[in-house]
Each structure stands twice: as structure tokens, then as C-alpha cells.
């Protein structure tokens, strides 16, 4: 039997148990026959603004040499013709023309005009761009002229949302585009560009294809297995493909959150005893005097967080209060507690030690560091996170004798002087090596998960496949019921790319886009 729904509200459709998924422009509805589903696409409008023509300033705000105003929608070509004297239009060719008000015929500016006919445009709709001088008065007058032609101001992310609705981009490419705009370091740019170019879409689409072919084979066996029109090993082949997919999913998920850390920044915490040079080190890493530095122990009481770009890797550095066990000061004690708490939640820990105390302690470097880390209360934490997630920096190198420098130079750690900047090149090289291990090197051959949303759906997809094989392990299992777990796994992958989506997910993704993109 086949079920058709027309002009039903989204709320009603969501409540219907036969609604299988929502795919961009249509609800995909299924009804159960004797042993399989019949699927019908049902149109469903998700945006009241989809038929309107929109415009926005797509370049940066403020005075500039050239500003770009983008128009998209069915009225965009009409707006171009009414505001210029272009007689013969050629797609994607720039025309230098006087742009005037459509009512008063007053000239607004001389600028370049381009026409991008749909579907061969960014949004998939007819689009126009005006490249004008970037003065505020010019832009204000131009936007007023467009409003007279019933062109509405765009909302944040509305151009990209239309590109998604018109199948120009999937959600992973949309998120990659947003990350590309927000990228502040070279490594962030590389990762975002790969995602915006569709590297994750290709991977996840290939996995959805494996699931689709596997479930089709299994359901074909259910329907026609008794008629012997299906090869006997079709289920075994499907199971082999599904197990291989599970291994790929597990490997993809076991990436140490590299892509997410690179996207959000490496959360780094500087810890150590009072007056060892933590704030001085912070100032050098962020290249400005952000933290107060004095010879008085306990100057830093609260956590100070700043951002830095270290060899292309984004780093969120937190300077913390000096950790000491002997304090009767309530404020200082709270600072110590926060320092340890930040260290426990960090991606990377920088331990700062006074090189002078270490060299004159009378014990070996290893014994001194063992006692020092124990006094800080982070020894077990460092063992847990592993050698690649922390570094020991011995500060005040300028106060050591040559003999003491040689002794500490052979020890594990980096010897520096925040006063003279001696040893900072070695420090930057060590930090770069460790951040490279933490964040990885973005590449097309090894795409990484960059969003917690993706990780959640992938983990759920893997769980459904595990459920499928658990059901199959039961001698009296129902193949049709077990196959439903594969359908669920397909929907989880579809939610990542937008093949299955809801307005709530779309609103979350697009709300942080800038206007004009």
C-alpha cells in the first residue's frame, strides 16, 4: 500500500509514525506493506522567505575602497535592469555602469555589475552583485533603492541557507564555510577549506551508500529469498560490508578529537609554583603585556585566558595562580583550586619550574621534578594524559652558571629565560611538535571530525549497527526488525549532511553566520 500526504503541517507530519525522514524540500513518508516500505516524497515548505528576493552587504562593514552588495531571488535580474542601462547581459561578466535610483533616476555610483543566472550561482537562484565604492552614504542609498524594488534585507546566513535548500551545499560544507570565515590560523583555514570543498560529504555519502546497498540486499532477500531469485550469499556479503563500515567508523571516531580541538583551539594551562614566571611566559606567548608581572609571589590570583597563534595552531592559554600548599589566604586558596581544575580539563599543560631552584636543589633533576609535580598535585594527571600532552619549562636560565646550564640542558624539558628570551626558539619548536600531534595535519586523505554534532551522530550510527549484529546473533531473530537498525544508522548519517534534518538543527547552524553570507 502507498500513503500520500499533502499540505500537512510539519508538526502533524512529525507526530505521524510513518514519517521516516525529512529531506531538505520534502518529507519522505513510508508505509509498510507485506515486508517492505513504499516511499513517497511530499512537498513541505520550511521557510516563508524562500520565494522572496533578498540583498545584503557581503563585504566588510566600514569605509573601504570597494564594497559588494549581493542580491538573490527572482527579482534580482529585474533590479539590475531597472538600476542600470545594461542592454545585453552576459552571465558572469563584469559591466562597468552607472547605478541609479529606479524611481528618481538619480545616479548612486559608478560600479561593476555581475549577473549569475540560476541554478549556476552560489544560492542556485538568479543572483546579482553590485561592486561599488565602500562609502556609508553610497551603500545606504543603494540599499534604499533595492528596497523600492521589493528586495528585502537578508537575515544572517540566508544566502547560504538557500544554497543548502537548492542542493548547492550540504550541511558539512555549510559548516566548513562558516569555519573558513571564522578561521584565525593557517591550520584552521586548511581544515575548514577541505570541509567546505566537500571532503566530509564525500566520505559520509559513501558510507550512506554502503548502508543503502546493504539494507536493499537484506530486504530483497526477505522478499524474494524463497523464490530463489536471489543469490544465497547476499546476506553474508551485506554483513561483510557492514562490518567493514563499522571498523571505519570506529577508526574515524578514535581520532583524539583532533579536528574539534583544531577548530576550537588547544586549551592550554600554565601551572607552577608562585613566582616561577608563569605570567611572563604568557605575555611572551601572546606577544603583549596582558598579565601583571611583579617579583611578589601570588600576584596572579584568578585565571587569565588569552588566545595565541603558535605556528598556525590556535591556542587558548590560561595563566593560573601559583599552586602552593601553605596558604591561609582564602582568595589564594580559591585560585589554587581553579588552577588545578583548569589543568584537569585542559588539552595541554605547561609546567613552569624555577631553573635556579632546580639546579641548586642538591638532587637529580628527575627527583626534583617528581617532588615538584607532587607538590603541585598534578602528577597523576600528567601520567594520565601522556607525555605528548604536557611540557616542562625551566625558566630563569639567565640566573644560572654555565655548569648549571649544562646540567639542566641534558635533562628533559626546555630551558628558557623570559627576561632575555633565550631558548624561546627551542620552546616554540617543542610546542609546535606537540600541537601537531594533538591537532593533526588537515589533509584530504585523512579527514577529521570537526564538530561535536558530527561525532554524536556517528557514534549513534555505530551503535545502531552494533544493535543490528546483536539482534542477528539471536537464533530466533526477525530479519525485518533487525534491518530497521540499519535504517536508523542511515538516518544518523543523513542528519550530518542534511539529507535528514529539522528546522531546529538548521537554525542552530545558520544563526552564527554573518549577514551577507
Amino acid at each position: 500500500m502507498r500513503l500520500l500526504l499533502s499540505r500537512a503541517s510539519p508538526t502533524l507530519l512529525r507526530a505521524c509514525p510513518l514519517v521516516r525522514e525529512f529531506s531538505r524540500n520534502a518529507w519522505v513518508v513510508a508505509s509498510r506493506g507485506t515486508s517492505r516500505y513504499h516511499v513517497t516524497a511530499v512537498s513541505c515548505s520550511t521557510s516563508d522567505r524562500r520565494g522572496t528576493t533578498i540583498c545584503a552587504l557581503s563585504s566588510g562593514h566600514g569605509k573601504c575602497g570597494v564594497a559588494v552588495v549581493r542580491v538573490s531571488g527572482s527579482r534580482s535580474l529585474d533590479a539590475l535592469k531597472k538600476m542600470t542601462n545594461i542592454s545585453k547581459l552576459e552571465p558572469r561578466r563584469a559591466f562597468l555602469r552607472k547605478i541609479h535610483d529606479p524611481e528618481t533616476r538619480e545616479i548612486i555610483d559608478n560600479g561593476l555589475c555581475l549577473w549569475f543566472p540560476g541554478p549556476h550561482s552560489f544560492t542556485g537562484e538568479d543572483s546579482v552583485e553590485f561592486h561599488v565604492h565602500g562609502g556609508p552614504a553610497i551603500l545606504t542609498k543603494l540599499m534604499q533603492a533595492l528596497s523600492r524594488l521589493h528586495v528585502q534585507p537578508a537575515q544572517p546566513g540566508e544566502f547560504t541557507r538557500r544554497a543548502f535548500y537548492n542542493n548547492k551545499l550540504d550541511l558539512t560544507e555549510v559548516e566548513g564555510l562558516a569555519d573558513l570565515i571564522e578561521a584565525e590560523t593557517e591550520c584552521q583555514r586548511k581544515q575548514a577549506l577541505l570541509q567546505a570543498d566537500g571532503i566530509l560529504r564525500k566520505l559520509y555519502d559513501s558510507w550512506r551508500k554502503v548502508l543503502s546497498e546493504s539494507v536493499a540486499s537484506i530486504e530483497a532477500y526477505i522478499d524474494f529469498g524463497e523464490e530463489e531469485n536471489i543469490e544465497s550469499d547476499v546476506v553474508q556479503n551485506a554483513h561483510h560490508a557492514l562490518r567493514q563500515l563499522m571498523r571505519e567508523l570506529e577508526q574515524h571516531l578514535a581520532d583524539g578529537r583532533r579536528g574539534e580541538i583544531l577548530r576550537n583551539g588547544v586549551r592550554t594551562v600554565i601551572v607552577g609554583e608562585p613566582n616561577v614566571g608563569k605570567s611572563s611566559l604568557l605575555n611572551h606567548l601572546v606577544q603583549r603585556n596582558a598579565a601583571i608581572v611583579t617579583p611578589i609571589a601570588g600576584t596572579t590570583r584568578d585565571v587569565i585566558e588569552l588566545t595565541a597563534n603558535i605556528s598556525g595552531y590556535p591556542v587558548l592559554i590560561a595563566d593560573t595562580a601559583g599552586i602552593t600548599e601553605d596558604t591561609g589566604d582564602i582568595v589564594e586558596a580559591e585560585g589554587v583550586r581553579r588552577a588545578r581544575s583548569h589543568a584537569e580539563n585542559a588539552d595541554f599543560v605547561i609546567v613552569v619550574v624555577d631553573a635556579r631552584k632546580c639546579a641548586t636543589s642538591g638532587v637529580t633533576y628527575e627527583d626534583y621534578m617528581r617532588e615538584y609535580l607532587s607538590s603541585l598535585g598534578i602528577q597523576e594527571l600528567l601520567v594520565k594524559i601522556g607525555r605528548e600532552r604536557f611540557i616542562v619549562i625551566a625558566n630563569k636560565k639567565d640566573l644560572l652558571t654555565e655548569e648549571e646550564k649544562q646540567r639542566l640542558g641534558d635533562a628533559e624539558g626546555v630551558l628558557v629565560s623570559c627576561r632575555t628570551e633565550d631558548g624561546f626558539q627551542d620552546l616554540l619548536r617543542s610546542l609546535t611538535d606537540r600541537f601537531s600531534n594533538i591537532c593533526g595535519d588537515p589533509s584530504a586523505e585523512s579527514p577529521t571530525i570537526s564538530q561535536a554534532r558530527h561525532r554524536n551522530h556517528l557514534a549513534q550510527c555505530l551503535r545502531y549497527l552494533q544493535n543490528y549484529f546483536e539482534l542477528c546473533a539471536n537464533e530466533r531473530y526477525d530479519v525485518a526488525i533487525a534491518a530497521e537498525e540499519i535504517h536508523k544508522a542511515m538516518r544518523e548519517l543523513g542528519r550530518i549532511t542534511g539529507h535528514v534534518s529539522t528546522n531546529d538543527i538548521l537554525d542552530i547552524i545558520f544563526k552564527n553566520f554573518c549577514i551577507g553570507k
Side-chain angles (χ1 to χ4, degrees), residues 114-288:
L114 295 96
W115 173 50
F116 303 92
H120 305 296
S121 67
F122 174 75
T123 60
E125 305 172 329
D126 284 349
S127 299
V128 166
E129 287 184 2
F130 296 99
H131 295 218
V132 296
H133 295 97
I138 295 173
L139 294 174
T140 299
K141 186 69 175 178
L142 181 58
M143 299 300 283
Q144 288 175 349
L146 287 170
S147 68
R148 294 191 183 101
L149 297 174
H150 307 288
V151 178
Q152 300 182 13
Q155 296 176 353
E158 192 166 3
F159 287 94
T160 309
R161 184 189 282 258
R162 292 189 178 199
F164 167 75
Y165 282 135
N166 292 322
N167 296 315
K168 306 294 288 187
L169 299 170
D170 81 326
L171 285 188
T172 63
E173 293 168 318
V174 167
E175 290 165 322
L177 182 59
D179 289 346
L180 187 60
I181 294 171
E182 296 293 329
E184 297 180 348
T185 72
E186 175 62 13
C187 293
Q188 285 180 320
R189 182 196 66 80
K190 288 172 63 177
Q191 176 172 274
L193 183 60
L194 285 169
Q195 186 170 328
D197 282 344
I199 187 65
L200 287 180
R201 173 186 57 78
K202 293 173 185 176
L203 177 64
Y204 298 154
D205 280 352
S206 70
W207 287 351
R208 287 187 82 247
K209 184 179 180 181
V210 171
L211 292 174
S212 177
E213 291 176 349
S214 298
V215 76
S217 298
I218 292 170
E219 292 187 344
Y221 179 79
I222 296 172
D223 287 341
F224 307 110
E226 295 180 358
E227 302 173 13
E228 299 182 355
N229 293 326
I230 301 295
E231 296 179 8
S232 59
D233 60 348
V234 65
V235 175
Q236 288 79 1
N237 291 338
H239 284 187
H240 175 75
L242 291 174
R243 287 195 174 92
Q244 176 61 30
L245 175 56
M246 288 175 64
R247 286 191 290 269
E248 292 179 15
L249 278 167
E250 289 170 350
Q251 184 178 0
H252 192 56
L253 287 167
D255 61 350
R257 294 178 47 251
R258 288 187 177 90
E260 293 164 78
I261 292 174
L262 178 56
R263 177 178 179 268
N264 299 320
V266 184
R267 293 174 301 168
T268 301
V269 175
I270 304 174
V271 297
E273 289 180 342
N275 205 25
V276 294
K278 299 185 299 298
S279 297
S280 297
L281 178 63
L282 173 72
N283 289 341
H284 279 288
L285 292 177
V286 301
Q287 299 182 345
R288 62 189 179 92

Side-chain angles (χ1 to χ4, degrees), residues 203-470:
L203 177 64
Y204 298 154
D205 280 352
S206 70
W207 287 351
R208 287 187 82 247
K209 184 179 180 181
V210 171
L211 292 174
S212 177
E213 291 176 349
S214 298
V215 76
S217 298
I218 292 170
E219 292 187 344
Y221 179 79
I222 296 172
D223 287 341
F224 307 110
E226 295 180 358
E227 302 173 13
E228 299 182 355
N229 293 326
I230 301 295
E231 296 179 8
S232 59
D233 60 348
V234 65
V235 175
Q236 288 79 1
N237 291 338
H239 284 187
H240 175 75
L242 291 174
R243 287 195 174 92
Q244 176 61 30
L245 175 56
M246 288 175 64
R247 286 191 290 269
E248 292 179 15
L249 278 167
E250 289 170 350
Q251 184 178 0
H252 192 56
L253 287 167
D255 61 350
R257 294 178 47 251
R258 288 187 177 90
E260 293 164 78
I261 292 174
L262 178 56
R263 177 178 179 268
N264 299 320
V266 184
R267 293 174 301 168
T268 301
V269 175
I270 304 174
V271 297
E273 289 180 342
N275 205 25
V276 294
K278 299 185 299 298
S279 297
S280 297
L281 178 63
L282 173 72
N283 289 341
H284 279 288
L285 292 177
V286 301
Q287 299 182 345
R288 62 189 179 92
N289 293 324
I292 298 174
V293 177
T294 73
I296 303 172
T299 300
T300 303
R301 296 296 187 95
D302 204 352
V303 177
I304 301 173
E305 292 184 303
L306 296 167
T307 61
N309 180 346
I310 298 179
S311 301
Y313 293 99
V315 186
L316 307 176
I317 308 177
D319 180 25
T320 61
I323 298 177
T324 177
E325 295 178 350
D326 303 323
T327 178
D329 190 323
I330 298 176
V331 177
E332 188 174 11
E334 175 61 18
V336 171
R337 187 196 67 78
R338 293 188 181 188
R340 287 175 174 150
S341 175
H342 270 71
E344 291 173 357
N345 296 306
D347 300 314
F348 188 75
V349 178
I350 298 176
V351 181
V352 183
V353 59
D354 189 326
R356 181 182 48 185
K357 289 184 179 180
C358 182
T360 60
S361 63
V363 298
T364 64
Y365 173 83
E366 290 76 13
D367 289 341
Y368 181 85
M369 286 306 303
R370 190 179 300 111
E371 183 178 345
Y372 183 75
L373 296 177
S374 178
S375 67
L376 296 180
I378 61 171
Q379 189 173 18
E380 293 183 1
L381 169 65
L382 298 185
V383 172
K384 180 181 178 181
I385 64 178
R387 281 294 311 156
E388 295 301 323
R389 292 294 182 112
F390 77 91
I391 190 172
V392 176
I393 298 175
N395 185 31
K396 304 184 181 180
K397 178 181 179 181
D398 55 302
L399 301 179
L400 300 179
T401 65
E402 289 302 320
E403 182 181 351
E404 291 169 341
K405 289 179 183 178
Q406 186 175 2
R407 189 191 318 153
L408 290 182
D410 297 333
E412 188 175 0
V414 182
L415 189 60
V416 303
S417 170
C418 288
R419 179 177 295 177
T420 65
E421 297 189 4
D422 187 13
F424 264 77
Q425 289 301 318
D426 293 335
L427 172 59
L428 289 177
R429 279 193 291 269
S430 297
L431 289 176
T432 300
D433 290 342
R434 284 168 167 78
F435 292 151
S436 176
N437 288 327
I438 293 173
C439 298
D441 184 18
S443 66
E445 294 75 24
S446 181
T448 55
I449 304 169
S450 63
Q451 303 265 354
R453 183 181 76 86
H454 301 176
R455 186 173 298 276
N456 292 336
H457 289 309
L458 289 168
Q460 193 63 37
C461 174
L462 179 60
R463 193 170 298 116
Y464 284 132
L465 292 178
Q466 291 169 342
N467 292 344
Y468 170 77
F469 283 106
E470 288 176 5

Side-chain angles (χ1 to χ4, degrees), residues 76-77 80 89-95 113-118 126-129:
S76 58
L77 180 58
L80 177 62
L89 270 175
E90 293 184 36
R92 292 171 293 281
R93 180 181 175 184
F95 293 86
C113 306
L114 295 96
W115 173 50
F116 303 92
D126 284 349
S127 299
V128 166
E129 287 184 2

Side-chain angles (χ1 to χ4, degrees), residues 67-103:
V68 178
V69 174
R70 177 183 290 175
V71 185
S72 180
S74 58
R75 295 178 180 270
S76 58
L77 180 58
D78 183 59
L80 177 62
K81 290 180 177 178
K82 290 182 177 179
M83 295 176 65
T84 65
N85 60 351
I86 297 177
S87 56
K88 273 192 173 183
L89 270 175
E90 293 184 36
R92 292 171 293 281
R93 180 181 175 184
F95 293 86
L96 178 61
R97 291 292 186 273
K98 289 183 172 60
I99 303 170
H100 51 253
D101 188 295
E103 291 185 0

